[in-house]
Amino acid sequence: MKTTAPVVIAFLGGFIMVVSFFFNEETTFVGGLSQELLNWMIIIGGFTLLLGVVSITRVNWAAVSNKKEGWIYKIFTLLSILVMSIPSVLPNSWSPLLGRDVGSIYDWLFNYLQAPMMATMFATLAFYIASAAYRAFRARNAEATLLLITATLVMLWRVPMGESFLNLFPGDIPYFLNTYIMNGANLAVQRGIIIGAALGAASMSLRIILGIERTYMGRG
Amino acid sequence: MSGIEIFQTWLVAFFTLALFSFLYKDNPVYKLAEHIFAGLTTGYQVGLIWDTVVLQKLWDPMIYDGKWWLFVPGILGIMMFSRFTSKYSWLSRIPLAFVMGTTGGIFLTTQLHGLVLPAMKSTMLPLGGGGGFAAALLAVVVVVGVISTLIYFYFSKEHTGALGVTAKIGIWFIMISFGAHFGYTVMGRVSLLIGRMQFLINDWIGSF
């Protein structure tokens, strides 16, 4: 029961979705069933994310309760979770500050704390990427040199000063370089990776549907 | 600027500088900002899921549209929380298996039909299809790039002889592509940094 039922459910779910590919989703029963299952998947996926939220809260609560290292900071994490989430799940018919509409606590916290902090976090990476670039761009061999030249050209093309500099070259050289790098080599590698990853995903999907791949169940 | 606008600007400036302070070294102000950010992001997810999934996809259709059968995914979703008990944690495998199976079914068809076949079709273009020598050369570059990239990631046979030479060409193509992506990523991050600096200089310092 503990392992057979999940394998049977995975097979049935996968089988219906594969079969439904060959049917019209609006006019046939199988097509309609696949749309319903997709909806079910979104609902379960939502609960899975909530599971993650509960897990984060439990871990932080345990750290505060046991006064583990850095527990004072975790109080702020817990407070932030509560301040952001509780007003958002309450109906805004009770108060304009509740819910997720413009002018709510949720909206204010998102606009004036969460979004700027997220932008700052990613902006901080500019400094670390510069340090990574120094290490990656040293022309030690042919491959590293190719990386250096391509990255430099791409960065130059994206700023007005660089574009003006590249336009100093005669004829259509900058245009052809851009075409062969971005629409040639870069596109080819993207396609190669897409084809490889898609074939891998398809074969892994088949293994899951047939019950060969069961690692998602965990142990026990 | 009104009082509330000044407060908002100073609040954003404080947390922006607190997060940037990590560039010097790890410190308590950064840790505080980091933990608040983690909490807010988690709380943000709660509001988003509650509204877009629990209310819009489950509760409202079940109660107001008469779709009573939606109680099944609701119960399956609640079963995910059995992971917190050691005795009944196996119950969470059922909704997990449902998601894995249906996702597998979708992937099996869409990955092949939606990605592999279109990518192959766009790669194998006729050389005399118009556009002259430049277009034909570009088509050859793309074919060579795709094949050599795929061979570089083929690990079932040792990369020696012809396979090794093709894999070597593949790594050159891959380095060019990674270089292009690196350049794009650097520019994206620098754009964000410029945005934050503009806020600090124009909005915050400008409010003094």
Side-chain angles (χ1 to χ4, degrees):
Chain A
M1 177 68 180
K2 288 181 183 177
T3 51
T4 311
V7 169
V8 171
I9 288 167
F11 173 77
L12 287 175
F15 182 74
I16 291 167
M17 296 314 281
V18 172
V19 170
S20 71
F21 178 75
F22 302 98
F23 290 87
N24 188 313
E25 62 187 52
E26 286 171 3
T27 55
T28 60
F29 172 74
V30 179
L33 185 63
S34 74
Q35 291 305 302
E36 193 62 42
L37 291 187
L38 265 175
N39 200 31
W40 288 24
M41 219 171 77
I42 294 168
I43 294 169
I44 296 169
F47 277 96
T48 312
L49 282 169
L50 287 178
L51 175 80
V53 173
V54 174
S55 183
I56 288 172
T57 310
R58 276 166 54 103
V59 168
N60 281 284
W61 180 255
V64 172
S65 303
N66 299 325
K67 294 198 172 173
K68 286 185 181 171
E69 193 186 345
W71 65 276
I72 290 178
Y73 300 112
K74 294 181 194 307
I75 293 175
F76 287 96
T77 306
L78 288 170
L79 281 174
S80 306
I81 294 172
L82 291 175
V83 169
M84 188 84 167
S85 60
I86 289 180
S88 70
V89 299
L90 297 173
N92 66 347
S93 57
W94 293 2
S95 163
L97 294 175
L98 303 175
R100 294 177 63 228
D101 290 345
V102 176
S104 62
I105 294 171
Y106 182 86
D107 180 62
W108 190 87
L109 286 171
F110 176 77
N111 285 327
Y112 294 103
L113 283 179
Q114 209 261 347
M117 285 166 96
M118 187 153 60
T120 310
M121 276 288 193
F122 282 109
T124 313
L125 291 178
F127 293 94
Y128 293 103
I129 216 164
S131 134
Y134 172 72
R135 284 192 291 274
F137 285 2
R138 274 180 298 177
R140 285 165 300 182
N141 49 39
E143 288 86 2
T145 312
L146 275 175
L147 189 87
L148 165 72
I149 293 169
T150 320
T152 311
L153 284 172
V154 168
M155 285 189 280
L156 276 175
W157 263 303
R158 304 297 168 245
V159 289
M161 190 182 76
E163 201 179 347
S164 304
F165 168 72
L166 289 168
N167 284 332
L168 293 175
F169 288 91
D172 292 331
I173 291 173
Y175 168 76
F176 279 115
L177 273 175
N178 191 23
T179 304
Y180 285 103
I181 289 173
M182 297 313 293
N183 301 333
N186 183 43
L187 187 78
V189 172
Q190 291 311 305
R191 282 205 189 130
I193 291 173
I194 284 170
I195 291 170
L199 288 172
S203 60
M204 178 58 85
S205 301
L206 196 62
R207 284 171 61 88
I208 289 169
I209 293 168
L210 296 176
I212 300 165
E213 181 65 48
R214 301 180 182 193
T215 46
Y216 64 87
M217 284 195 228
R219 285 176 290 180
Chain B
M1 250 190 195
S2 66
I4 186 76
E5 283 172 338
I6 291 170
F7 171 71
Q8 285 165 353
T9 307
W10 275 79
L11 192 70
V12 175
F14 170 75
F15 282 108
T16 302
L17 291 172
L19 290 173
F20 275 142
S21 70
F22 185 74
L23 293 169
Y24 173 60
K25 67 175 186 181
D26 200 2
N27 61 79
V29 181
Y30 169 77
K31 275 185 184 159
L32 176 75
E34 183 195 29
H35 281 77
I36 289 173
F37 174 60
L40 290 174
T41 307
T42 311
Y44 174 77
Q45 291 297 325
V46 175
L48 194 70
I49 298 160
W50 182 260
D51 191 18
T52 58
V53 178
V54 178
L55 292 182
Q56 289 180 30
K57 293 271 179 194
L58 179 66
W59 186 256
D60 291 350
M62 201 163 66
I63 300 300
Y64 303 117
D65 301 340
K67 292 185 176 179
W68 54 269
W69 58 87
L70 285 175
F71 80 91
V72 178
I75 288 172
L76 285 171
I78 290 167
M79 279 164 77
M80 287 299 297
F81 290 90
S82 66
R83 291 185 85 85
F84 293 128
T85 66
S86 52
K87 194 177 176 185
Y88 298 107
S89 65
W90 65 273
L91 281 171
S92 66
R93 289 176 180 173
I94 292 172
L96 206 57
F98 176 81
V99 173
M100 293 298 287
T102 43
T103 308
I106 297 164
F107 266 42
L108 194 59
T109 49
T110 54
Q111 295 287 305
L112 297 175
H113 192 260
L115 288 175
V116 176
L117 295 179
M120 288 171 73
K121 191 181 167 189
S122 315
T123 302
M124 291 180 278
L125 298 173
L127 291 179
F133 175 74
L137 183 64
L138 187 66
V140 172
V141 167
V142 171
V143 169
V144 172
V146 170
I147 292 171
S148 57
T149 303
L150 282 170
I151 285 178
Y152 175 76
F153 287 113
Y154 179 72
F155 301 117
S156 299
K157 201 169 181 296
E158 198 180 344
H159 286 180
T160 51
L163 202 68
V165 173
T166 319
K168 186 79 178 166
I169 296 169
I171 191 73
W172 288 343
F173 272 93
I174 290 166
M175 292 313 266
I176 291 171
S177 178
F178 284 178
H181 276 272
F182 199 96
Y184 267 126
T185 310
V186 169
M187 295 310 282
R189 296 289 182 264
V190 170
S191 297
L192 279 170
L193 181 64
I194 290 168
R196 298 319 300 153
M197 288 301 163
Q198 277 179 336
F199 164 76
L200 287 173
I201 295 164
N202 298 338
D203 297 0
W204 181 53
I205 295 176
S207 73
F208 286 2

